[in-house]
Amino acid sequence: DVKVTQSSRYLVKRTGEKVFLECVQDMDHENMFWYRQDPGLGLRLIYFSYDVKMKEKGDIPEGYSVSREKKERFSLILESASTNQTSMYLCASSLLTGGYGYTFGSGTRLTVV
Amino acid sequence: DQQVKQNSPSLSVQEGRISILNCDYTNSMFDYFLWYKKYPAEGPTFLISISSIKDKNEDGRFTVFLNKSAKHLSLHIVPSQPGDSAVYFCAASGGRNNDMRFGAGTRLTVKP
């Protein structure tokens, strides 16, 4: 069973801090994704990666960056946290794209104060 | 610009009856359509998918219907059970990057 682990369940950070959200998957998946979930907006794609060292912007990349140094790890970085980045962050991985579902982690609820 | 839309934020049905969740999309480049289920404090879990070349896919109590001309899909759950109570997300993938877009979700409540 594929497991996607997000390092923190809840996180509270101050405005202006640099924040790292870590995600690790244990099934050798090529593809990894970061989404944020907000009420009424569903899941919005921030960044994704189809290979090590590769990254692509999603729909809302502003204020975020990512790092994928190893296949199993995909980190989301908030360069300077702002209150409008308070959200639920979900990491996902998949072996294939198309009609194959993603496996999601349990999420990190980030609050920026 | 939301390419995948779920216009009903919530739906309540009686146990044993049919639940119908609806989804509309705007991008004709989507190749696959998926449904996910999400319980509180958990990530979404993949439920069922359908290719754009099909109009129906069935898996046990879950059936997804696709109407390409209307850019509309629906998920039918028959019979509904209290354990089906969750938020259901519609998703679509395809296009240049083949990444996945999600709707806003519909909260389904199945009453015993």
Side-chain angles (χ1 to χ4, degrees):
Chain A
D1 221 16
V2 177
K3 195 171 179 183
V4 176
T5 303
Q6 294 184 233
S7 54
S8 302
R9 196 57 196 269
Y10 298 96
L11 216 49
V12 180
K13 294 292 181 181
R14 295 195 181 276
T15 302
E17 273 192 81
K18 190 167 186 176
V19 181
F20 293 85
L21 302 183
E22 306 289 347
C23 176
V24 177
Q25 50 95 3
D26 65 0
M27 281 300 285
D28 206 33
H29 282 179
E30 299 287 344
N31 311 312
M32 296 189 76
F33 310 86
W34 275 106
Y35 288 86
R36 63 178 280 179
Q37 182 192 356
D38 300 288
L41 297 175
L43 279 70
R44 292 180 292 165
L45 183 63
I46 305 172
Y47 267 97
F48 60 100
S49 169
Y50 287 158
D51 200 355
V52 176
K53 305 280 185 181
M54 176 266 185
K55 60 186 177 185
E56 286 278 353
K57 292 179 180 179
D59 293 332
I60 52 165
E62 296 78 20
Y64 303 94
S65 63
V66 289
S67 171
R68 192 153 182 216
E69 297 294 320
K70 294 184 177 182
K71 192 176 188 179
E72 67 271 18
R73 186 179 296 270
F74 192 36
S75 304
L76 180 69
I77 304 155
L78 285 68
E79 298 292 342
S80 176
S82 64
T83 55
N84 62 14
Q85 292 179 309
T86 291
S87 186
M88 170 68 82
Y89 289 87
L90 290 159
C91 175
S93 74
S94 72
L95 182 61
L96 299 168
T97 56
Y100 297 90
Y102 295 174
T103 301
F104 281 87
S106 297
T108 295
R109 182 161 294 283
L110 172 67
T111 302
V112 182
V113 297
Chain B
D1 178 30
Q2 279 205 294
Q3 299 180 52
V4 179
K5 297 178 184 176
Q6 293 175 259
N7 292 319
S8 298
S10 63
L11 174 68
S12 182
V13 301
Q14 208 65 37
E15 181 179 5
R17 307 294 288 266
I18 184 171
S19 295
I20 301 176
L21 296 101
N22 293 302
C23 178
D24 297 295
Y25 62 95
T26 58
N27 189 342
S28 57
M29 297 295 290
F30 288 138
D31 296 316
Y32 291 93
F33 302 90
L34 305 91
W35 286 93
Y36 287 78
K37 181 163 100 170
K38 185 181 185 302
Y39 293 118
E42 294 181 14
T45 54
F46 169 66
L47 199 55
I48 190 170
S49 66
I50 187 168
S51 162
S52 60
I53 63 172
K54 294 188 172 182
D55 56 18
K56 178 182 174 181
N57 189 26
E58 199 170 347
D59 184 3
R61 296 186 297 114
F62 301 90
T63 303
V64 56
F65 295 92
L66 176 63
N67 182 336
K68 278 190 72 176
S69 60
K71 292 192 173 69
H72 177 85
L73 64 152
S74 60
L75 175 69
H76 292 211
I77 306 173
V78 184
S80 301
Q81 299 173 354
D84 296 329
S85 296
V87 176
Y88 288 79
F89 289 99
C90 172
S93 69
R96 184 176 67 90
N97 290 316
N98 214 21
D99 49 334
M100 199 169 293
R101 297 293 190 275
F102 286 78
T106 297
R107 181 177 300 279
L108 173 66
T109 303
V110 180
K111 297 179 178 177

